[in-house]
């Protein structure tokens, strides 16, 4: 009991930090792809004191902070959605079959707790499967497939599950409460991919409050990134940006079994500049501006690439006649699982870097980048 009380006390002390509270509020909120409304409400609450709020027609949210009216439009885009599931069918015995939303690896799904969000409230469940004792030695060596999994909510029949309020189409959200770890710089939560980006957009707008900058800054929370970068297409249309930044997570390479050629980013070593991903080759001039700014401001940065994934910049840079774009992130351990880990210093340095970059993006600089 004494150990537990100490942990809770530590959490409460940290929650006095406004930025940490924002990170907690954003990651604790449920918001799988297509069901982002709870997260959007949180982001709206934090952005409303900072500038004008706009939306697209499918659920994305846009905050606008004017430094110079009519100046270049600079987009900083995180995405609201996290990976999760959707109920597709209730079996006669009351178990739930589901569709994955976003990229899941089967090995991280089994026996994990989830929340089913119904019209009548939250129902707790667990991802279930056949017990390993019942599998043949050959079957135990193979990946257990998603199609054979189910969610157990403690119902004894379809009618029982329906009485809980569960219907096909209901969203299912992973459970992992925001946690400050024993090393207090490390923060564990679900959905760092990509509530980190939403939080960073807010933090940069907050730090720009009362400061001069030669442009109009748009902090964006896009919907449905994990299922096809969809919100990025509609918000780019709504904004018509001159410069685009996707604020998204990098893959940390500082855990056992990962080589430096697979992932370079390490927790605590600074924000990551993405050199390549499957959806975009970054604009060289914008990349160089960010690198030069980091060096001038003594901000540590890292480099990485993700050959098999994409970000919202993949849609932003193709809007209209083209938008010079870049991905800025932080390394995160265990993305696309129930629990991920981020370093607070990386977040703070990413915010410092983005503020310095925004202040350099005047009309002449943007004109040169676009020419």
């Amino acid at each position: 009991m004494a150990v537990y009380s100490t942990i809770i006390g530590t959490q409460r002390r940290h929650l006095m930090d406004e930025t940490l509270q924002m990170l907690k509020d954003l990651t604790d909120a449920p918001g799988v792809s297509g069901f982002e409304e709870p997260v959007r409400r949180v982001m709206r609450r934090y952005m409303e004191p900072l500038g004008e709020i706009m939306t697209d027609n499918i659920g994305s949210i846009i905050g606008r902070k004017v430094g110079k009216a009519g100046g270049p439009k600079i987009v900083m885009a995180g995405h609201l959605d996290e990976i999760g599931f959707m109920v597709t069918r209730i079996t006669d015995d009351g178990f739930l079959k589901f569709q994955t939303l976003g990229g899941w690896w089967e090995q991280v799904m089994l026996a994990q707790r989830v929340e089913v969000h119904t019209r009548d409230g939250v129902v707790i469940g667990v991802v279930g499967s056949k017990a390993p004792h019942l599998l043949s030695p050959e079957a135990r060596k193979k990946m257990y497939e998603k199609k054979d999994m189910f969610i157990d909510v403690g119902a004894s029949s379809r009618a029982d599950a329906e009485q809980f309020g569960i219907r096909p189409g209901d969203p299912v959200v992973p459970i992992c409460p925001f946690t400050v770890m024993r090393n207090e710089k490390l923060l564990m939560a679900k959905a760092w991919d990509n509530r980190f980006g939403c939080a960073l957009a807010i933090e940069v707008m907050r730090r720009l409050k009362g400061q001069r900058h030669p442009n109009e800054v748009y902090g964006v929370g896009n919907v449905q990134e994990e299922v096809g970068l969809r919100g990025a297409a509609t918000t780019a249309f709504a904004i018509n940006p001159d410069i685009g930044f996707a604020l998204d997570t990098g893959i940390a390479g500082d855990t056992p079994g990962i080589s430096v050629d697979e992932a370079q980013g390490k927790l605590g070593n600074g924000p990551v500049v993405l050199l390549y991903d499957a959806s975009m080759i970054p604009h060289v001039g914008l990349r160089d501006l960010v690198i030069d700014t980091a060096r001038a401001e003594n901000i540590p940065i890292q480099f990485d690439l993700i050959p098999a994934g994409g970000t919202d910049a993949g849609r932003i840079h193709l809007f209209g006649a083209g938008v010079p774009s870049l991905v800025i992130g932080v390394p995160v351990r265990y993305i696309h699982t129930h629990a991920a880990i981020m370093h607070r210093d990386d977040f703070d340095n990413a915010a410092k870097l983005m503020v310095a970059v925004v202040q350099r993006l005047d009309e002449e600089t943007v004109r040169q980048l676009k020419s």
Side-chain angles (χ1 to χ4, degrees), residues 239-287:
I239 298 167
N240 188 20
D242 293 294
I243 300 291
F245 291 98
L247 310 178
D248 212 334
T249 52
I251 299 172
D254 57 356
T255 58
I258 300 178
S259 73
V260 68
D261 289 325
E262 292 175 309
Q264 299 179 43
K266 296 182 179 181
L267 268 62
N269 283 13
V272 171
V273 175
L274 209 60
L275 301 174
Y276 174 88
D277 69 56
S279 68
M280 185 191 72
I281 298 172
H283 187 278
V284 175
L286 187 58
R287 180 204 65 190

Side-chain angles (χ1 to χ4, degrees), residues 5-45:
S5 297
T6 300
I7 293 172
I8 295 299
T10 301
Q11 288 286 83
R12 285 175 178 162
R13 286 195 300 275
H14 280 286
L15 293 179
M16 297 301 290
D17 179 332
E18 186 177 7
T19 297
L20 205 61
Q21 180 69 56
M22 175 178 66
L23 292 168
K24 171 179 168 55
D25 291 346
L26 285 166
T27 54
D28 281 349
V32 298
S33 303
F35 301 89
E36 297 94 345
E37 172 59 25
V39 191
R40 184 167 61 252
R41 288 197 301 267
V42 174
M43 194 166 181
R44 175 184 288 273
R45 172 162 54 87

Side-chain angles (χ1 to χ4, degrees), residues 58-196:
I58 61 171
S60 303
I61 186 167
I62 303 165
R64 175 173 174 259
K65 185 186 181 306
V66 177
K68 178 183 178 182
K73 296 178 180 179
I74 313 301
V75 163
M76 304 180 299
H79 64 84
L80 296 166
D81 59 320
E82 61 187 295
I83 60 170
F85 315 99
M86 176 197 291
V87 177
T88 56
R89 183 170 66 89
I90 305 173
T91 71
D92 291 342
D93 295 328
F95 297 99
L96 311 182
K97 299 297 289 185
F98 59 85
Q99 166 68 43
T100 54
L101 300 174
W104 280 97
W105 186 37
E106 284 90 340
Q107 288 190 192
V108 304
M109 293 168 58
L110 289 176
Q112 295 292 333
R113 297 174 72 227
V114 295
E115 297 176 342
V116 184
H117 286 258
T118 81
R119 55 185 169 179
D120 297 329
V122 173
V123 178
I124 302 298
V126 62
V127 178
S129 65
K130 185 183 291 186
H133 310 73
L134 304 178
L135 300 176
S136 68
E138 292 75 19
R140 285 199 294 271
K141 295 176 183 177
K142 298 178 181 178
M143 187 93 68
Y144 201 90
E145 296 187 54
K146 291 189 286 283
K147 67 181 179 62
D148 297 321
M149 299 179 195
F150 52 85
I151 296 171
D152 187 344
V153 293
S156 59
S157 64
R158 180 186 291 113
D160 204 11
E162 290 173 346
Q163 190 174 18
F164 294 168
I166 297 172
R167 296 180 295 178
D170 283 342
V172 182
V173 181
I175 293 176
C176 180
F178 178 88
T179 303
V180 178
M181 302 183 75
R182 184 62 178 266
N183 175 351
E184 296 174 358
K185 293 287 189 179
L186 298 187
L187 310 175
M188 181 193 299
K190 68 177 182 62
W192 279 135
D193 183 8
N194 181 245
R195 307 293 162 69
F196 140 78

